[in-house]
Amino acid sequence: MVMESITATLDAGYDIAQAAADCALPGLSEASCASDLTSMMTNWMSLGSNICTATLVCGDVDNVCAATVTNAVAHVSSVANALIASASDCISDPFICVYDVITAIDGMNGLVADFMAALEICNERGHLPSPLEEDFFLENQFGGVTTIDDRRRLSATGAMAGAAAPPRRPEEGPHSIRHRLDDLVDKLRLRAQDSELLSHRREAAQLRSADSAGARADARDLGTADLTATASSAGILVL
């Protein structure tokens, strides 16, 4: 990545030198000037993509989204450069014309591939770091400091010594964020348990109501049967 970045920088410098000659009088050439400028843009965007990729490989910094976007812009400039070249080559040389057109189509394919990759990479949601990731980050950032309290104590010591960095508030640390998330999860779990308990109570009340209604119906039927039997024994016709 470092060598590719150096190559892209040198190519961009060469394009700038060519554009200084082609875009000014007395040797002004519109086609050559446009070709030099689009080639320069391609090299600058390739340089940006290589630097973003180098931060991932050399420094473990996730800049894949930025690398994909800058590479897409490089493909746009490359397509423009190929079309500018074909405007003159297709008049004089059919073979070079076909080469320029195929180069432009290849650049468009690369542009579409970059768009598809960017839609997937740049829309990824972040995740809470694990305790091991937090310790590794703090150890690399603060020179062996592995806890939030140690970092706060270090910042406070530096502030008393005249350092510009103020001590961070406890709620800004990732541990406090995890505690707040745990509290929220516990509250949601308790709310779900309360809802389930309320549902069970409603079902029990409905069952008790149904049992009471059935018991009253049985008692009414039993009372009617006793009344009928008593009237029959007394010789009374019961309608």
Side-chain angles (χ1 to χ4, degrees):
M1 293 300 171
V2 176
M3 296 304 299
E4 291 180 0
S5 300
I6 295 175
T7 301
T9 304
L10 295 177
D11 290 340
Y14 173 79
D15 293 329
I16 292 174
Q18 291 296 111
D22 295 333
C23 298
L25 296 174
L28 175 63
S29 175
E30 295 180 356
S32 298
C33 176
S35 178
D36 294 335
L37 294 178
T38 53
S39 179
M40 179 193 66
M41 290 298 299
T42 301
N43 289 318
W44 281 131
M45 292 301 104
S46 298
L47 174 62
S49 179
N50 291 330
I51 291 176
C52 293
T53 307
T55 58
L56 175 65
V57 177
C58 304
D60 198 18
V61 179
D62 189 3
N63 282 328
V64 181
C65 177
T68 306
V69 173
T70 52
N71 199 36
V73 179
H75 277 115
V76 172
S77 301
S78 177
V79 171
N81 184 266
L83 294 178
I84 292 171
S86 66
S88 59
D89 293 336
C90 292
I91 298 176
S92 59
D93 194 336
F95 178 78
I96 301 299
C97 174
V98 173
Y99 173 79
D100 293 336
V101 172
I102 293 177
T103 302
I105 294 175
D106 181 69
M108 291 180 182
N109 291 333
L111 176 63
V112 173
D114 290 333
F115 281 160
M116 296 176 63
L119 289 174
E120 181 180 358
I121 296 173
C122 299
N123 290 327
E124 290 182 354
R125 295 184 176 180
H127 65 283
L128 291 176
S130 64
L132 292 178
E133 293 174 343
E134 292 176 3
D135 293 339
F136 179 78
F137 172 78
L138 294 175
E139 184 176 357
N140 289 334
Q141 292 293 323
F142 301 100
V145 180
T146 57
T147 63
I148 295 296
D149 294 334
D150 290 341
R151 186 180 67 178
R152 290 174 55 210
R153 184 163 53 252
L154 180 62
S155 300
T157 304
M160 288 187 295
R168 295 171 62 92
R169 294 182 298 175
E171 62 270 18
E172 294 179 355
H175 290 291
S176 61
I177 296 176
R178 176 173 287 107
H179 290 327
R180 283 186 288 178
L181 289 176
D182 292 339
D183 294 339
L184 180 59
V185 171
D186 293 337
K187 291 179 181 179
L188 292 176
R189 187 182 294 110
L190 293 175
R191 185 174 298 176
Q193 292 176 356
D194 293 339
S195 299
E196 184 178 0
L197 180 60
L198 181 60
S199 177
H200 290 329
R201 289 180 178 177
R202 289 177 179 174
E203 292 178 0
Q206 292 177 356
L207 292 176
R208 285 196 297 269
S209 177
D211 292 340
S212 300
R216 286 195 298 270
D218 293 339
R220 185 169 57 253
D221 294 340
L222 182 60
T224 302
D226 293 341
L227 181 59
T228 304
T230 304
S232 299
S233 61
I236 300 174
L237 180 61
V238 178
L239 297 177

